[in-house]
Amino acid sequence: MQYSHSNRGIDVVWFKRDLRIRDHTPLANALSRGRQVLLLHIYEPTDLAHLTTSNRHLTFRWQAWTALCKEVRALNWPVQTAVLHAPALDVLKYLHEVSGIRALYSYQETGLAHTFIRDQAITRWVRINEIPWHEQRQQAIYRGLKHRKKWANDWHNTMRGGLTRASPGPNLERFEVPEWPPGWACVETPHVTHCNDPGGCGPFQKGGEREARRYLQTFFEGRVKGYRRQIGRPLESRKSCSRLSPYLAWGCLSMRQVYQTFQNADVPRAKMDLKAFGSRLRWQGHFIQKFESECRIEFESVNRGYADFPYHGTPESLAAWKEGKTGIPLVDACMRCVINTGYLNFRMRAMLVSFLTHHLDHPWQAGVEHLARCFLDFEPGIHFSQFQMQAGVTGINTIRIYNPVKQSMERDSEGLFIREWVPELVKMPIEYLHSPWTQPPMERLWSGLDLTYADPIVSVESAGRAAREKLWKFKKTNAVREEATRILRIHVAPSSLD
Ligand SMILES: Cc1cc2nc3c(=O)[nH]c(=O)nc-3n(C[C@H](O)[C@H](O)[C@H](O)COP(=O)(O)OP(=O)(O)OC[C@H]3O[C@@H](n4cnc5c(N)ncnc54)[C@H](O)[C@@H]3O)c2cc1C
């Protein structure tokens, strides 16, 4: 039976990367205007098959969604909820056929190409069926933005705006959800359908607004002190950084909530720490906007001048990097840590990418999906832009090639992080821990140490030198320079170029 368009039918709030009920404008609008409201979350087959998706993401979403439903029940809102495993367009078509959709409410998603293609198909379908789709802008991310003249201002204004509060309007009434086709209703967390999941023993941060608020609160209660000093250290940063990234990436918190808490924070002797944290909040929006404005960077370097950049990495070195078996202790510790916990601080993420693309000579595309799967906070906008920055293919940023031995001595001077994640080196004397290959072979044999740790896959010094020469040479080509001018025009505020 085809439902004919009328003022009847249900209002659907489609939750994507916005798994919260606080400061959620589409939800607030639907509750105030709607009569029969369905809160919907969908695990789409294209997403489950995508190589950036991992089971830790799906579990985090599940935890966040079930926490959201529990809260809705506790609030006694007369709405229905559903979590389904099916293509989003099929779900909407089915709902429209059996119940009629009066209006669709959601946030605009700055997502991967497959979500954009899906949204285009849904746009065509809602138009044909005369269903209003109220798509709300996420924070200050603008579709089709061609320059950044006013962006920073708009971002600040959005962040200072009032938080929306959802409360059921007078017309809301309870209704029966339709019976879903077989296999659609999820009763437990779905799993990815590819075979590249990183696994990992955890524990991972848990999804949900309550958990998110706990991290927010403890950060401003004291963890923020020392933020600036510890942010570069793989061990200490786990406590001194906010750890809000998965909650922002999956929307258990809005950036506006975080920004306003930050603005009101009064933490003695943490002025500089707070300042450093505040700039990073804006960077989040900056990178997502960059991806929104130029989404081809999911596949190609933002600077097209690097399309022919020569790489000579081997499948063996790529596999060793992915498994944390390169023979460079800090690189391996970082990789094993992120596989098992889903988190790594900024500098160590940058170092992993630098090592892959510069020392091991692989294009950024070779590792971008692997780390996306490992990062619990995978956020396409930040991830693809940052990956390319660290790989040195933007043509506008300073070329940075991290020396992992130097990083190790500076950021993990006592080797606590390395010993935690590379058990083969637990007994290695500290003087050799950062570069075990410097231990004299005879001493190594006699010491009774575990000898299973791999020899270094490359010479850090000579591979770094070769990469530097190659990158600088390329940066001076006309193609790279012309593209750099274009990138500055689109993605950088004119004032910051003065
Ligand atoms: C190669 C690479 C890939 C990355 N991929 C992601 C990703 O997929 N998702 C993600 O959220 N971050 C990513 N980052 C940025 C950064 O490493 C993380 O945001 C940060 O480590 C998260 O920890 P935190 O929440 O404790 O951050 P805090 O230092 O406490 O910062 C607070 C928030 O600010 C934002 N932020 C912090 N640093 C940056 C930055 N450099 N760029 C943009 N936003 C920032 C994040 O939303 C973060 O949660 C990536 C960095 C690199 C080098």
Side-chain angles (χ1 to χ4, degrees):
M1 177 201 64
Q2 177 69 47
Y3 180 88
S4 65
H5 176 71
S6 79
N7 211 20
R8 287 176 40 241
I10 58 175
D11 293 272
V12 178
V13 187
W14 180 15
F15 290 80
K16 297 188 248 177
R17 280 178 170 261
D18 43 72
L19 295 167
R20 63 176 182 278
I21 59 174
R22 289 165 189 79
D23 197 32
H24 194 292
T25 313
L27 174 67
N29 289 343
L31 288 192
S32 65
R33 294 180 203 156
R35 215 175 56 209
Q36 301 185 333
V37 176
L38 174 68
L39 313 187
L40 180 66
H41 186 53
I42 310 174
Y43 285 94
E44 295 171 85
T46 44
D47 195 25
L48 268 52
H50 202 273
L51 286 174
T52 56
T53 307
S54 57
N55 286 328
R56 65 192 62 184
H57 302 150
L58 304 179
T59 304
F60 190 90
R61 282 168 60 184
W62 183 261
Q63 291 161 344
W65 177 254
T66 45
L68 184 154
C69 295
K70 197 170 158 198
E71 200 166 353
V72 165
R73 278 197 301 278
L75 288 165
N76 208 16
W77 284 354
V79 299
Q80 290 287 5
T81 61
V83 53
L84 304 176
H85 172 209
L89 183 56
D90 291 1
V91 171
L92 296 175
K93 282 181 177 170
Y94 178 78
L95 266 175
H96 195 49
E97 195 176 306
V98 297
S99 311
I101 298 180
R102 206 171 72 138
L104 177 60
Y105 296 82
S106 76
Y107 274 113
Q108 281 177 351
E109 183 174 356
T110 302
L112 298 166
H114 72 96
T115 65
F116 183 57
I117 292 165
R118 170 206 67 198
D119 284 353
Q120 284 177 318
I122 292 177
T123 305
R124 283 193 293 274
W125 178 78
V126 291
R127 271 200 202 128
I128 292 167
N129 289 279
E130 298 176 25
I131 299 169
W133 184 3
H134 305 290
E135 253 194 311
Q136 196 74 31
R137 188 182 300 132
Q138 284 266 28
Q139 32 181 344
I141 308 302
Y142 296 84
R143 289 235 154 127
L145 195 70
K146 298 265 185 307
H147 58 74
R148 292 295 186 97
K149 283 183 194 145
K150 281 170 54 252
W151 186 82
N153 242 352
D154 290 342
W155 186 86
H156 277 109
N157 289 338
T158 309
M159 292 307 132
R160 288 188 202 111
L163 301 178
T164 50
R165 223 184 121 87
S167 63
N171 300 326
L172 270 192
E173 59 184 43
R174 289 195 189 275
F175 65 103
E176 286 290 310
V177 267
E179 196 171 309
W180 302 108
W184 278 21
C186 295
V187 285
E188 57 182 29
T189 322
H191 292 284
V192 291
T193 50
H194 57 72
C195 55
N196 293 288
D197 192 78
C201 60
F204 301 106
Q205 287 175 268
K206 280 211 173 74
E209 276 184 89
R210 217 166 105 166
E211 286 290 319
R213 284 201 302 277
R214 194 167 63 80
Y215 278 91
L216 190 64
Q217 196 180 334
T218 58
F219 184 61
F220 290 113
E221 272 173 6
R223 289 195 292 117
V224 66
K225 276 190 205 165
Y227 175 79
R228 243 171 19 122
R229 199 165 17 106
Q230 316 283 34
I231 191 169
R233 301 177 193 271
L235 195 60
E236 292 83 348
S237 58
R238 303 181 78 81
K239 287 220 168 88
S240 295
C241 284
S242 71
R243 308 293 304 270
L244 289 174
S245 52
Y247 302 104
L248 285 165
W250 300 106
C252 301
L253 283 173
S254 71
M255 184 46 97
R256 191 157 50 181
Q257 287 174 296
V258 177
Y259 179 83
Q260 296 191 2
T261 312
F262 149 74
Q263 283 282 296
N264 296 328
D266 179 19
V267 192
R269 296 187 301 283
K271 198 171 156 204
M272 296 312 283
D273 292 317
L274 284 166
K275 192 166 175 244
F277 175 77
S279 351
R280 280 162 180 82
L281 298 184
R282 191 152 44 82
W283 296 356
Q284 190 250 19
H286 163 77
F287 284 111
I288 299 178
Q289 180 63 63
K290 192 168 179 180
F291 193 64
E292 178 65 54
S293 297
E294 204 162 356
C295 58
R296 66 171 184 87
I297 69 171
E298 179 182 343
F299 307 105
E300 308 168 358
S301 299
V302 62
N303 189 312
R304 293 184 181 95
Y306 286 96
D308 300 325
F309 192 82
Y311 290 101
H312 303 101
T314 62
E316 292 76 24
S317 68
L318 180 61
W321 177 81
K322 284 186 182 172
E323 290 167 23
K325 292 184 180 166
T326 65
I328 315 291
L330 188 62
V331 172
D332 294 344
C334 285
M335 188 58 88
R336 296 181 194 186
C337 169
V338 77
I339 287 173
N340 282 296
T341 69
Y343 182 78
L344 201 58
N345 60 321
F346 172 80
R347 186 172 279 259
M348 295 301 119
R349 294 184 195 207
M351 186 199 67
L352 280 183
V353 176
S354 163
F355 190 73
L356 171 77
T357 55
H358 303 138
H359 293 90
L360 300 184
D361 209 12
H362 285 279
W364 61 267
Q365 288 93 334
V368 75
E369 287 163 343
H370 173 74
L371 282 188
R373 292 191 292 273
C374 291
F375 293 161
L376 184 62
D377 59 24
F378 170 55
E379 165 61 68
I382 305 178
H383 193 69
F384 284 91
S385 311
Q386 278 289 356
F387 226 97
Q388 296 185 26
M389 258 172 79
Q390 307 308 332
V393 293
T394 65
I396 60 165
N397 303 103
T398 315
I399 293 173
R400 259 206 162 151
I401 300 182
Y402 291 92
N403 178 326
V405 178
K406 193 163 165 274
Q407 290 297 316
S408 188
M409 293 194 290
E410 283 174 13
R411 314 277 163 181
D412 186 30
S413 51
E414 292 172 42
L416 298 177
F417 181 73
I418 292 178
R419 289 189 212 279
E420 182 177 347
W421 290 105
V422 188
E424 303 96 297
L425 296 177
V426 158
K427 293 194 180 140
M428 179 63 79
I430 189 70
E431 63 264 39
Y432 305 124
L433 186 68
H434 305 288
S435 47
W437 56 91
T438 56
Q439 186 181 33
M442 292 311 273
E443 188 180 323
R444 198 168 183 191
L445 270 179
W446 289 334
S447 62
L449 291 173
D450 185 341
L451 298 179
T452 55
Y453 188 60
D455 288 331
I457 198 161
V458 283
S459 149
V460 170
E461 293 294 335
S462 56
R465 207 175 313 116
R468 192 165 291 111
E469 277 168 25
K470 198 163 65 152
L471 276 165
W472 274 112
K473 213 162 115 195
F474 227 80
K475 203 176 176 186
K476 291 179 190 147
T477 60
N478 286 342
V480 168
R481 283 183 172 175
E482 278 164 26
E483 272 287 288
T485 313
R486 182 192 66 80
I487 293 166
L488 291 173
R489 202 172 52 240
I490 301 176
H491 298 296
V492 180
S495 56
S496 49
L497 298 176
D498 295 341

